[in-house]
């Protein structure tokens, strides 16, 4: 994991009525998902690490055990809030919190004196604030070599690290981008303008048309909400189907993800994923003018998830800040991260 020094001190957040300081800290560091142009946006796990640093700074504990308990409580509060908001990134968020807790424990073991230990956590931890930016840069530099002139790259949804990689490749190469619309939040359709303005020829593809266009695609490039122990990924719903389709057409599937998204999970199927809040789903008929809502009978169930699991067998390579990895190398990197 790359760390850079951040000189700005932590500031005390101003919570709204009924809101805790840790959640106010977290929200202060977050960028709205619809703001695609903020290149300084922190990923959710990094924002959580910053919020946990605030806990360390404000803590009234006078023992290592007491501070650890406060950090665990704050981590759980962050995870509960995120799950209640219906966000997709709960797995990577949990991994980021767990990494911070492990890092704190390791510091406790290295420095028995409590005050020195807390000062060390704050000093080292503030360097974590730069991890997201440095990770994206390193991934973009290594991954852009796999995009060549004249290719058509297919992606799904919105990922800041994927965007960084594509923009880096576009500096020296001419390629086209296909992007799936990204139901239910239309994240792909939203992102299309961002890439088009960056000078990349962009085409929005209906989610259901992934198989139709796949034969003309050269590669698939995806982000990830989490990378699991067996080298598979958890990502926006539709990723699994897209990867299976790519394999059937013998197209490489590349995944760009920061190492703090590596999660100690070993799912065998979709049901092994942690459950999350499912937001109401609406249907419309876009062939009508004006667009007409479609009502589903109350006795009909609507089944949908925000994420799905893609097994390692459908992934060619992972572009990470630890280097370009095969899926089978993920378990070894996880061991190193959590040592």
């Amino acid at each position: 994991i790359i760390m850079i020094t951040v000189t700005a001190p932590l500031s005390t957040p101003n919570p709204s009525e009924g809101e805790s300081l840790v959640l106010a800290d977290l929200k202060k560091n977050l960028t709205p998902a619809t703001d695609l142009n903020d290149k300084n946006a922190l990923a959710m796990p990094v924002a959580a690490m910053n919020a946990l640093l605030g806990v360390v700074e404000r803590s009234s504990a006078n023992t290592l055990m007491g501070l650890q308990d406060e950090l665990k409580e704050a981590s759980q509060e962050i995870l509960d809030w995120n799950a209640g908001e219906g966000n997709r990134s709960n797995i990577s968020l949990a991994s980021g919190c767990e990494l911070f807790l492990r890092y704190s424990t390791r510091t406790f073991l290295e420095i028995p004196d409590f005050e020195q230990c807390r000062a060390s956590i704050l000093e080292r931890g503030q360097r974590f604030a730069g991890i997201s930016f440095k990770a994206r840069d390193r991934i973009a530099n290594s991954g852009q070599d796999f995009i060549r002139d004249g290719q058509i790259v297919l992606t799904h949804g919105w990922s800041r690290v994927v965007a960084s990689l594509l923009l880096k490749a576009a500096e020296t190469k001419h390629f086209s981008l296909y992007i799936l619309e990204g139901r239910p939040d239309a994240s792909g359709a939203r992102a299309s303008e961002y890439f088009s303005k960056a000078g990349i020829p962009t085409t929005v593809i209906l989610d259901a048309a992934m198989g139709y266009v796949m034969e003309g695609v050269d590669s698939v490039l995806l982000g990830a909400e989490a990378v699991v122990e067996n080298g598979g990924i958890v990502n926006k719903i539709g990723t699994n189907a897209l990867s299976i389709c790519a394999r059937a057409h013998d197209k490489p599937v590349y995944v760009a993800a920061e190492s703090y998204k590596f999660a100690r999970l070993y799912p065998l199927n979709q049901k092994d994923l942690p459950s999350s809040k499912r937001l109401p789903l609406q249907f419309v008929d876009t062939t009508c003018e004006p667009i007409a809502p479609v009502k589903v009978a109350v006795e009909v169930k609507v089944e949908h998830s925000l994420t799905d699991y893609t097994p390692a067998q459908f992934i060619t390579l992972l572009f990470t800040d630890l280097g370009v990895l095969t899926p089978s190398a993920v378990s070894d990197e996880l061991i190193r991260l959590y040592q």
Side-chain angles (χ1 to χ4, degrees):
I1 295 176
I2 305 299
M3 298 181 184
I4 65 172
T5 303
V6 176
T7 55
L10 297 171
S11 59
T12 301
N14 296 313
S16 57
E17 186 176 352
E19 184 177 63
S20 69
L21 287 172
V22 68
L23 289 184
D25 238 346
L26 177 71
K27 294 176 183 179
K28 179 189 69 176
N29 289 305
L30 289 178
T31 300
T34 53
D35 186 358
L36 308 185
N37 295 308
D38 186 356
K39 295 184 178 179
N40 294 321
L42 289 179
M44 179 74 82
V46 181
M49 291 177 190
N50 279 348
L52 293 177
L53 279 172
V55 173
V56 176
E57 187 177 54
R58 295 186 299 269
S59 175
S60 58
N62 51 25
T63 66
L64 302 180
M65 186 68 71
L67 182 54
Q68 277 283 69
D69 288 342
E70 288 185 16
L71 288 171
K72 289 178 182 177
E73 183 178 340
S75 296
Q76 191 59 54
E77 185 178 0
I78 290 171
L79 291 171
D80 290 344
W81 170 82
N82 188 65
E85 290 291 303
N87 293 323
R88 295 200 312 264
S89 53
N90 223 39
I91 297 176
S92 59
L93 182 58
S95 296
C97 290
E98 186 178 1
L99 271 173
F100 187 91
L101 289 170
R102 287 224 162 220
Y103 158 78
S104 301
T105 301
R106 190 161 59 242
T107 307
F108 295 157
L109 295 174
E110 292 173 1
I111 308 173
D113 181 81
F114 176 70
E115 289 302 328
Q116 290 182 11
C117 176
R118 180 157 72 171
S120 179
I121 291 174
L122 288 171
E123 179 187 357
R124 298 180 192 176
Q126 285 188 32
R127 297 181 224 156
F128 257 66
I131 188 175
S132 182
F133 314 121
K134 282 295 180 182
R136 288 177 196 158
D137 289 344
R138 189 166 184 178
I139 292 168
N141 286 328
S142 60
Q144 60 97 17
D145 292 334
F146 290 81
I147 297 177
R148 297 180 176 85
D149 271 318
Q151 286 191 336
I152 296 176
V153 179
L154 174 61
T155 190
H156 181 36
W158 168 254
S159 162
R160 293 188 189 277
V161 67
V162 167
S164 296
L165 194 161
L166 290 171
L167 264 59
K168 183 68 176 179
E171 292 176 3
T172 56
K173 300 158 193 169
H174 299 283
F175 61 92
S176 298
L177 181 67
Y178 284 0
I179 184 165
L180 297 182
E181 60 174 326
R183 284 275 286 158
D185 60 358
S187 53
R190 295 176 191 273
S192 62
E193 183 180 4
Y194 175 88
F195 292 116
S196 181
K197 285 183 176 179
I200 301 174
T202 304
T203 304
V204 177
I205 306 295
L206 201 67
D207 286 344
M210 64 175 74
Y212 178 80
V213 302
M214 188 61 73
E215 62 186 33
V217 166
D218 293 291
S219 64
V220 175
L221 178 61
L222 303 166
E225 298 294 337
V227 180
V228 297
E229 285 189 54
N230 57 17
I233 64 169
V234 178
N235 196 42
K236 181 180 175 64
I237 191 70
T239 299
N240 183 43
L242 176 59
S243 301
I244 293 172
C245 185
R247 168 58 66 89
H249 285 79
D250 199 25
K251 308 292 184 179
V253 175
Y254 303 126
V255 175
E258 303 93 331
S259 58
Y260 54 74
K261 292 183 177 179
F262 285 20
R264 296 196 299 172
L265 293 174
Y266 205 107
L268 299 177
N269 52 47
Q270 307 299 334
K271 301 301 181 185
D272 287 342
L273 296 182
S275 60
S276 59
K277 180 180 178 181
R278 300 188 179 188
L279 301 177
L281 191 62
Q282 296 181 339
F283 301 93
V284 295
D285 182 355
T286 58
T287 64
C288 297
E289 186 63 44
I291 294 173
V294 176
K295 293 184 178 180
V296 177
V298 293
E299 66 270 16
V300 175
K301 292 183 179 179
V302 176
E303 174 65 30
H304 75 97
S305 173
L306 294 176
T307 58
D308 59 25
Y309 162 62
T310 301
Q313 69 194 74
F314 300 117
I315 297 170
T316 308
L317 291 171
L318 297 107
F319 306 144
T320 78
D321 46 305
L322 304 176
V324 179
L325 306 177
T326 61
S328 60
V330 170
S331 58
D332 290 337
E333 296 299 336
L334 263 169
I335 292 172
R336 293 189 185 97
L337 278 174
Y338 283 90
Q339 275 180 343

